[in-house]
Amino acid sequence: MKKIICALITLFSMVAITPVLAADDTPVFELRVYTTHPGKMPDLLARFKNHTTKIFARHGMENVGYWLPTEQKNGDKLHYILKYKNRAAADAAWKAFAADPEWIKVRTESEANGPIVAGVESTFLVATDFSAIK
């Protein structure tokens, strides 16, 4: 009996998450958090404002929004969200972005006085059926 119950729970769990995992055309969002080296936030913000957002858009990455926490201990975190057609499009966009000659030039020039970004956190998300943003 325990085996049957475990099997049913496993089966229902797989059925419940399969649509999310299998939907190749489901838009995905990426929440990214950048931590800067001390004193480098103005450099990061200028790079995003003047260059990065435009390069993202050229590669099919939709700029949803950019935020700074209202209370930052060291003033070193930038949070932003990008939207993609699907997860495969996200992977392709990041690959193209990393190889983009303009991005390589901008990154190199903006880091002439040292690296700007100390760390990056990335989480991919799908919208719930009751989300205002889809």
Side-chain angles (χ1 to χ4, degrees), residues 45-105:
L45 295 176
R47 187 166 76 186
F48 268 90
K49 180 180 179 180
N50 299 322
H51 305 284
T52 309
T53 56
K54 294 169 188 77
I55 301 170
F56 281 170
R58 190 170 63 233
H59 291 289
M61 305 157 112
E62 182 180 330
N63 294 282
V64 175
Y66 295 80
W67 299 270
L68 297 170
T70 57
E71 297 177 15
Q72 288 203 66
K73 185 168 66 171
N74 299 319
D76 64 350
K77 302 271 190 213
L78 171 67
H79 299 248
Y80 68 96
I81 296 177
L82 298 171
K83 182 179 179 183
Y84 311 91
K85 291 180 182 177
N86 53 46
R87 182 57 196 264
D91 294 341
W94 275 110
K95 185 176 180 180
F97 174 82
D100 187 294
E102 182 183 355
W103 164 244
I104 293 167
K105 180 179 184 234

Side-chain angles (χ1 to χ4, degrees), residues 27-40:
V28 296
F29 296 85
E30 183 182 13
L31 170 63
R32 294 178 70 88
V33 180
Y34 282 19
T35 303
T36 63
H37 287 285
K40 295 290 189 171

Side-chain angles (χ1 to χ4, degrees), residues 112-127:
N113 295 320
I116 294 174
V117 177
V120 177
E121 298 171 44
S122 171
T123 304
F124 282 93
L125 309 162
V126 293

